[in-house]
């Protein structure tokens, strides 16, 4: 899970372009 | 009733495709053929027009990937080297790709049944599918002479991309070769939406924990794609098979792309890869 932190986050919430 | 369900699925996927991807094929082809009421895109064909193009975009408030003040924006500085301009352009491409990953993720989440899959499998499907999807999404933006970038505001020539230093010059040429052939299939946005969902729902990605529900979902979308292509392209023989064959080319394109990025990481000292792209490419192929 740690290896794909951002993908997990994107899947679980909508992330705005600014957060990326 | 079954084909009515498949049509409903096609309509749903088309609607989320339009919702999450800002530049559709219909819009891109209109820009490329000069059929929009708006002005023509800004053309980048050499280093000077690249710097001018950056200025054009900055005026429209596009965020810079790297905003260190000492880098400046490259306007009127004169002393900035082509290497620096190329590297900054590469960073912009990464920023746009990361945004593309976010768009593809939202599209994937809208595929009926996707969010019900094991979360680790959702991650795996995205990790392996997202670059393939981004390459397919590039095709409508391209013709044999160049590609639209910056949401269709800029047209960058293929010759200019070929003139960049190694290995930057090798990054886009395989995508042009693929896209010119892919565009000959003349898929529209609804066909594309279904094809993208089929790619995402590939049950043979390495490390999947629970393949069966993914294959079941993909089978339904495949039926919807087959029906869609028959209805939308009644005279195009074997189109369904031809579209599916493109998935083999795509895997090779992604493998080569990832190898180029790995090479770049070794040769370019100043290169910093976007953390999201790093995450996707690490241990990919």
């Amino acid at each position: 899970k740690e290896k794909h932190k951002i993908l997990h986050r994107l899947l679980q919430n909508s992330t705005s372009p600014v957060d990326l | 009733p079954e084909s009515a369900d498949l049509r409903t699925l096609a309509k749903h996927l088309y609607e989320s495709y339009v919702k999450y991807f800002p530049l559709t094929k219909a819009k891109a082809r209109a820009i490329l053929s000069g059929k929009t009421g708006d002005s023509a895109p800004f053309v980048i064909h050499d280093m000077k027009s690249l710097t001018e193009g950056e200025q054009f975009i900055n005026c429209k408030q596009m965020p810079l990937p790297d905003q260190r003040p000492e880098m400046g924006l490259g306007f009127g500085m004169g002393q900035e080297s082509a290497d620096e301009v190329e590297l900054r352009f590469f960073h912009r491409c990464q920023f746009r790709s990361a945004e593309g990953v976010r768009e593809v993720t939202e599209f994937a989440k809208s595929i009926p049944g996707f969010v019900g899959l094991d979360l680790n499998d959702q991650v795996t499907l995205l990790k392996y599918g997202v670059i393939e999807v981004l390459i397919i999404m590039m095709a409508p933006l391209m013709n044999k002479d160049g590609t639209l970038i910056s949401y269709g505001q800029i047209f960058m020539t293929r010759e200019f991309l070929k003139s960049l230093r190694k290995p930057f010059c090798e990054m886009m040429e395989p995508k042009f070769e693929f896209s010119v052939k892919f565009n000959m299939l003349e898929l529209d946005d609804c066909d594309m939406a279904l094809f993208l969902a089929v790619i995402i729902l590939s049950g043979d990605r390495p490390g999947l924990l629970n393949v069966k529900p993914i294959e079941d979902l993909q089978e339904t979308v495949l039926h919807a794609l087959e029906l869609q292509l028959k209805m939308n392209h009644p005279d195009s023989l074997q189109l369904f098979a031809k579209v599916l064959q493109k998935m083999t080319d795509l895997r090779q394109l992604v493998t080569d792309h990832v190898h180029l990025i790995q090479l770049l990481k070794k040769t370019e000292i100043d290169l910093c890869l976007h953390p999201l792209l790093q995450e996707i490419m690490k241990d990919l192929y």
Side-chain angles (χ1 to χ4, degrees):
Chain A
K1 193 172 174 178
E2 275 305 293
K3 271 169 70 182
H4 298 105
K5 264 194 307 200
I6 312 175
L7 276 180
H8 270 274
R9 216 177 69 217
L10 285 177
L11 280 163
Q12 291 181 299
N13 319 289
S14 272
T15 305
S16 74
V18 179
D19 297 337
L20 281 176
Chain B
E2 196 195 342
S3 68
D5 290 347
L6 297 177
R7 298 309 293 153
T8 306
L9 176 61
K11 186 168 175 282
H12 168 79
L13 289 174
Y14 170 69
E15 282 167 357
S16 50
Y17 168 100
V18 172
K19 181 176 173 190
Y20 296 117
F21 301 124
L23 187 55
T24 59
K25 177 165 182 173
K27 276 188 220 160
R29 296 329 271 185
I31 297 170
L32 287 171
S33 56
K35 285 180 189 153
T36 53
D38 310 334
S39 54
F42 183 92
V43 179
I44 293 179
H45 59 96
D46 58 11
M47 279 297 167
K48 184 168 172 283
S49 51
L50 174 59
T51 314
E52 287 164 0
E54 286 185 309
Q55 192 168 7
F56 175 80
I57 291 301
N58 285 330
C59 290
K60 296 192 171 192
Q61 309 249 307
M62 177 91 171
L64 264 177
D66 187 339
Q67 297 193 334
R68 280 178 295 163
E70 70 269 24
M71 269 187 83
L73 296 180
F75 308 141
M77 291 169 74
Q79 70 272 37
E80 199 181 33
S81 72
D83 283 12
E84 286 168 316
V85 179
E86 283 172 356
L87 208 54
R88 196 173 56 231
F89 173 60
F90 180 74
H91 282 133
R92 277 180 184 280
C93 293
Q94 286 199 67
F95 187 88
R96 177 65 189 101
S97 303
E99 179 56 22
V101 172
R102 190 189 62 81
E103 292 164 7
V104 175
T105 308
E106 292 305 315
F107 175 75
K109 282 154 72 176
S110 80
I111 302 172
F114 184 87
V115 293
L117 298 170
D118 183 298
L119 184 59
N120 292 299
D121 283 349
Q122 293 181 42
V123 169
T124 304
L125 293 179
L126 275 177
K127 180 181 174 82
Y128 283 89
V130 77
I131 307 178
E132 292 180 14
V133 169
L134 291 177
I135 290 175
I136 285 285
M137 293 293 290
M138 258 181 221
L141 314 182
M142 292 181 158
N143 61 24
K144 66 174 176 39
D145 301 318
T147 181
L148 290 174
I149 57 171
S150 280
Y151 304 94
Q153 299 173 93
I154 290 180
F155 181 80
M156 184 170 271
T157 68
R158 186 173 178 176
E159 280 308 311
F160 173 64
L161 284 159
K162 267 163 87 174
S163 76
L164 299 174
R165 74 174 189 274
K166 262 189 157 186
F168 294 108
C169 59
E170 293 166 356
M171 295 199 89
M172 291 310 287
E173 196 51 27
K175 281 79 168 176
F176 276 108
E177 285 166 16
F178 171 80
S179 294
V180 168
K181 283 186 273 175
F182 184 77
N183 288 340
M184 285 160 77
L185 300 178
E186 297 189 314
L187 301 188
D188 70 11
D189 284 304
C190 186
D191 309 333
M192 292 279 284
L194 288 159
F195 184 42
L196 298 185
V198 167
I199 292 171
I200 293 168
L201 296 169
S202 295
D204 60 348
R205 305 297 191 189
L208 284 175
L209 303 171
N210 201 356
V211 170
K212 180 75 171 58
I214 299 166
E215 284 178 344
D216 290 346
L217 289 179
Q218 194 195 41
E219 203 182 309
T220 308
V221 184
L222 277 167
H223 285 312
L225 175 63
E226 189 176 16
L227 181 63
Q228 163 71 16
L229 295 178
K230 273 190 185 142
M231 292 178 69
N232 202 22
H233 308 263
D235 302 323
S236 186
L237 291 173
Q238 300 298 324
L239 183 60
F240 181 56
K242 286 177 191 167
V243 170
L244 296 188
Q245 277 167 16
K246 295 294 174 191
M247 291 168 81
T248 319
D249 302 340
L250 266 178
R251 292 207 180 182
Q252 189 56 51
L253 272 174
V254 172
T255 309
D256 295 346
H257 182 81
V258 173
H259 289 161
L260 267 180
I261 300 282
Q262 282 160 351
L263 179 72
L264 263 172
K265 255 167 60 183
K266 283 186 197 147
T267 55
E268 295 287 333
I269 304 152
D270 295 330
L271 184 87
C272 45
L273 268 186
H274 192 290
L276 175 57
L277 305 180
Q278 267 187 57
E279 212 179 90
I280 290 166
M281 290 189 199
K282 193 170 189 314
D283 308 318
L284 189 70
Y285 288 120

